């Protein structure tokens, strides 16, 4: 079995050029290294999953005694950020333990094994989960994209206006979009194309934006529903409509 995701941090955005000269905006993510702190099985826990932690410098005094005992049980180092990721059946792979020893796992992962960015080597798309930036108390124009009212002199154009009916039902209906706290929400961005992987520095570059500020924690996982590749565009089997029409016209003559 192999894990399907890894924890990381958002480094920032930049741009790259492909072989055709087209520019692509990318986000650079520090993916791991992570360590497996616990393996969950269907027989014992009711489902199959792996609990992983982001390996970073953290003082032992900052970890609670119950969590210290939890990590010691799996021979894993103390970590502060822990998440659960799914597992999938995989072939025999070579993994490194927390002590740095390489071993042949025969597709079986155990607590203490490292999780690196190379799990995405054969993937084209990933899903990224992050926490959006906090925007404080925001109005309806910024929070919900309302158009606002007249912007001429004497008007308060960012006020939302009426929020309920008069005689019936004489109340504000649930779900009314109003001003309030904005941001700090769990946001999932699906099917971000992988533009590059640096195995030495544990970096992964994905095309597009990722929720959250710089240095924010993100969960990167293999795409659950990757898009279907478009056939006939830029490939060897591409048909040029202009050439095809000329060829058809010559045949009619």
């Amino acid at each position: 079995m192999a894990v399907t995701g890894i924890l990381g941090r958002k480094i920032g955005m930049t741009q790259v050029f492909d072989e055709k000269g087209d520019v692509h905006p990318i986000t650079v993510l520090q993916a791991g290294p992570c360590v497996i702190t616990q393996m969950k099985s269907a027989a014992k826990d009711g489902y199959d999953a792996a609990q992983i932690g982001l390996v970073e410098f953290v003082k032992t005094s900052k970890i609670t005694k119950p969590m210290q005992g939890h990590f010691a049980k799996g021979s894993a180092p103390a970590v502060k950020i822990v998440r659960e990721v799914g597992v999938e059946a995989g072939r025999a792979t070579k993994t490194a333990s927390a002590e740095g020893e390489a071993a042949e796992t025969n597709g079986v992962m155990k607590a203490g094994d490292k999780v690196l960015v190379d799990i995405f080597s054969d993937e084209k798309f990933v899903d990224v989960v992050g926490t959006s930036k906090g925007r404080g108390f925001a109005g309806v124009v910024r929070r919900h994209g309302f158009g606002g009212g007249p912007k001429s002199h004497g008007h308060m154009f960012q006020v939302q206006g009426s929020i309920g009916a008069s005689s019936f039902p004489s109340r504000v209906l649930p779900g009314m979009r109003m001003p309030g706290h904005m941001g700090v929400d769990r946001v999932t961005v699906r099917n971000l194309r992988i533009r590059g992987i640096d195995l030495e520095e544990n970096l992964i570059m994905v095309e597009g934006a990722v929720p959250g500020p710089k240095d924010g924690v993100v969960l990167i996982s293999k795409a659950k529903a990757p898009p279907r590749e478009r056939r006939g565009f830029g490939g060897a089997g591409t048909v040029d409509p202009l050439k095809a029409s000329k060829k058809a016209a010559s045949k009619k003559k």
Side-chain angles (χ1 to χ4, degrees), residues 10-247:
K10 177 180 176 179
I11 294 180
M13 293 196 70
T14 182
Q15 61 184 20
V16 296
F17 293 87
D18 59 12
E19 57 277 0
K20 297 180 182 179
D22 297 331
V23 65
H24 299 276
I26 65 167
T27 302
V28 183
L29 304 173
Q30 180 78 44
C34 292
V35 62
I36 297 178
T37 57
Q38 183 185 6
M39 291 297 298
K40 298 197 173 184
S41 62
K44 185 177 179 181
D45 304 288
Y47 64 99
D48 293 319
Q51 185 188 82
I52 63 174
L54 182 61
V55 178
E56 294 178 323
F57 174 74
V58 57
K59 293 182 179 179
T60 309
S61 59
K62 299 294 183 181
I63 306 298
T64 61
K65 290 292 181 69
M67 291 305 294
Q68 290 182 25
H70 175 67
F71 297 142
K73 189 184 297 184
S75 302
V79 293
K80 197 170 184 180
I81 303 171
V82 179
R83 297 288 188 277
E84 277 191 12
V85 295
V87 294
E88 62 181 3
R91 59 180 183 275
T93 55
K94 210 174 211 181
T95 61
S97 63
E99 290 78 13
E101 300 175 354
E104 195 76 22
T105 62
N106 294 324
V108 178
M109 305 289 291
K110 64 181 185 302
D113 289 345
K114 282 186 178 180
V115 181
L116 304 175
V117 72
D118 57 1
I119 62 174
F120 302 113
S121 297
D122 298 329
E123 302 295 323
K124 292 183 179 180
F125 299 92
V126 292
D127 297 338
V128 180
V129 181
T131 303
S132 61
K133 293 181 181 180
R135 301 300 183 186
F137 193 95
V140 291
V141 172
R142 186 180 192 188
R143 191 183 186 201
H144 301 295
F146 282 19
K151 300 177 179 61
S152 58
H153 181 70
H155 292 279
M156 299 177 65
F157 75 96
Q158 293 205 95
V159 176
Q160 63 184 8
S162 176
I163 59 172
S166 55
S167 60
F168 180 83
S170 298
R171 62 187 177 89
V172 178
L173 297 175
M176 179 66 62
R177 293 181 293 175
M178 298 177 69
H181 180 264
M182 180 181 177
V184 198
D185 294 320
R186 178 187 168 98
V187 180
T188 302
V189 182
R190 298 197 180 276
N191 298 329
L192 295 177
R193 184 181 293 274
I194 298 176
R195 283 294 173 182
I197 295 177
D198 188 342
L199 298 177
E200 294 182 359
E201 299 294 334
N202 284 323
L203 299 177
I204 181 171
M205 291 163 281
V206 297
E207 184 173 356
V210 169
K214 291 181 180 179
D215 205 40
V217 178
V218 294
L219 176 62
I220 313 163
S221 58
K222 298 178 182 179
K224 290 185 177 181
R228 224 174 78 184
E229 291 290 338
R230 299 176 65 189
R231 294 176 294 178
F233 290 86
T238 302
V239 178
D240 190 339
L242 183 60
K243 291 182 179 179
S245 60
K246 289 181 178 179
K247 189 175 181 180

